[in-house]
Amino acid sequence: MASSKEIRGKIKSVEGTKKITKAMEMVSVSKMRKAQERMRAGRPYSEKIGNIAANLAQANPEYKHAFLTANPGAKVAGFVVVTTDKGLCGGLNTNLLRATTTKLKDLEAAGQKAEVVAIGNKGLGFMNRIGAKVVAQVTHLGDKPHIEKLVGPVKVLLDAYAEGKLSAVYLCYTQFINTMKQETVIKQLLPLTTDSMKTANADGSPAHAWDYLYEPDAAAVIDELLVRYAEALVYQAVAENMASEQSARMVAMKAATDNAGTLIGELKLIYNKTRQAAITKELSEIVSGAAAVG
C-alpha cells in the first residue's frame, strides 16, 4: 500500500488537474456562445445564395457551368477535410476522420485516387500519416473563421474540378446540432445540383423560382455566383465545426472535472484508511511494549 505522503502528493496533483479542466470548461462555455452565434448567422446567407444559384441555373438551361457538369472520365476525387487545430474535444476529430477514411477506402476500391485540402492541424497530421496526397492546407484559424484564409486552399480543388481533373469534390466536417450532439457530415460539394442548392419553405413546399435581369450577362453572373456559393459552403462548414469543437470541449472538460472530483474522493478515502491503519499499528506497538515491560 502507498504511504500517506505519496497519497497526499497524488491528491494535490489531481486537484491541480481539476483546476485546469474547470478553467478550460469555463473558457469553452464563453467561446461556444460566440461560435454558435457566428454559425447561426452564416446559415441564412448560404441558404439564400444557394436558392439564387439554383434559380439562375434553372432559368438558363442553355448555359451549363463547370460546377454543374459531371466529369465521368476523371479518376481523382477531391476532399475538403475540416478538423480542429487543438485536441481535448472528445471524439470529435476521431469520428470525422474515421468516416473520411471509410469514404477514401470506398473510392480506392472503385479505382479512384484522392487529393485532400486539410483545414485544421488534426486533419493535416492524420492525412500525412496515412499517406494521403495533401494538395493544400490551412491551419491556425483561431477562434473565428476568416474567408480570406480559406479561399486560397479551396480554390485549388475548385479549379481542378473546373478543368475536368476531378470526378467530384467532397466536404467533410462536423455539423452542430446542439450542445450535446454533433454529427459527422460527408457531402458532395461538386458537382452541384439544383436540388441540393434549393431550400424548402417553412411548410415544406418548394421555394418559389425567380427569374432575374442580368448585368452584364447570365453566364458571367452564374460563373461568379457558383464560385461564391462553393466558398460559402466551406466557410459555413468551418463555422459549424468550430461551434461543435467548443461544445465538445466543454462537455469533455466537464466530464474530466467530474472524474477528477471522484478520484480525489477515492484518494482521500484511501488516505484516511492508510492513516487510520498507521495509528492503529502504533497504538498496538505501544500496548505491546507496555505489556512486555509489565
Side-chain angles (χ1 to χ4, degrees):
M1 183 180 288
S3 66
S4 298
K5 186 177 180 181
E6 290 175 346
I7 297 172
R8 281 201 305 271
K10 288 182 179 179
I11 291 173
K12 287 182 180 179
S13 176
V14 177
E15 284 177 342
T17 303
K18 183 181 178 182
K19 288 179 183 177
I20 293 171
T21 55
K22 184 64 177 178
M24 291 182 70
E25 178 190 346
M26 300 307 293
V27 170
S28 294
V29 169
S30 175
K31 289 183 177 181
M32 180 185 68
R33 293 195 187 102
K34 295 177 183 177
Q36 287 181 15
E37 289 172 4
R38 283 193 295 270
M39 175 267 300
R40 292 194 177 99
R43 281 179 176 174
Y45 173 78
S46 59
E47 290 174 0
K48 189 64 177 177
I49 195 173
N51 278 336
I52 295 173
N55 290 338
L56 288 177
Q58 284 186 329
N60 291 271
E62 70 280 357
Y63 175 70
K64 277 287 186 182
H65 188 273
F67 287 0
L68 298 169
T69 307
N71 297 327
K75 296 296 182 183
V76 181
F79 282 80
V80 180
V81 182
V82 183
T83 57
T84 67
D85 281 322
K86 301 175 183 178
L88 298 177
C89 50
L92 190 78
N93 292 317
T94 303
N95 294 335
L96 176 71
L97 294 172
R98 184 185 295 120
T100 304
T101 303
T102 301
K103 184 68 175 178
L104 288 171
K105 288 180 178 177
D106 291 343
L107 289 174
E108 186 179 350
Q112 294 259 336
K113 295 181 180 179
E115 293 183 354
V116 178
V117 169
I119 300 176
N121 260 328
K122 295 299 180 180
L124 175 61
F126 179 81
M127 290 300 159
N128 285 331
R129 284 196 299 274
I130 66 173
K133 184 179 179 182
V134 179
V135 295
Q137 65 191 59
V138 55
T139 57
H140 303 98
L141 287 173
D143 298 324
K144 183 178 179 181
H146 298 277
I147 188 68
E148 62 271 13
K149 290 184 179 180
L150 301 173
V151 168
V154 173
K155 193 174 185 296
V156 174
L157 293 184
L158 298 184
D159 290 347
Y161 186 86
E163 294 168 6
K165 297 177 181 178
L166 301 179
S167 59
V169 176
Y170 297 94
L171 181 59
C172 312
Y173 66 99
T174 303
Q175 184 180 18
F176 179 86
I177 305 299
N178 54 50
T179 304
M180 300 301 293
K181 184 180 180 182
Q182 301 86 35
E183 286 185 355
T184 297
V185 176
I186 298 179
K187 71 177 182 180
Q188 182 175 296
L189 181 62
L190 298 177
L192 295 169
T193 61
T194 53
D195 291 337
S196 67
M197 289 187 286
K198 277 194 170 183
T199 55
N201 294 321
D203 59 359
S205 61
H208 182 72
W210 296 91
D211 199 2
Y212 305 90
L213 297 175
Y214 307 102
E215 184 66 34
D217 57 74
V221 174
I222 293 174
D223 287 349
E224 186 70 21
L225 192 65
L226 289 182
V227 173
R228 293 290 170 266
Y229 175 58
E231 292 171 354
L233 287 180
V234 175
Y235 176 86
Q236 185 62 28
V238 174
E240 297 266 354
N241 200 78
M242 285 185 172
S244 299
E245 174 190 1
Q246 298 303 336
S247 298
R249 182 170 291 122
M250 183 201 71
V251 172
M253 291 302 101
K254 185 179 187 309
T257 303
D258 294 343
N259 290 339
T262 302
L263 184 57
I264 290 170
E266 292 174 354
L267 287 172
K268 284 183 176 179
L269 182 61
I270 295 172
Y271 172 76
N272 291 334
K273 286 182 178 179
T274 304
R275 188 161 168 263
Q276 187 177 16
I279 294 171
T280 303
K281 183 180 178 182
E282 288 177 6
L283 287 173
S284 299
E285 289 174 353
I286 292 171
V287 172
S288 299
V293 170

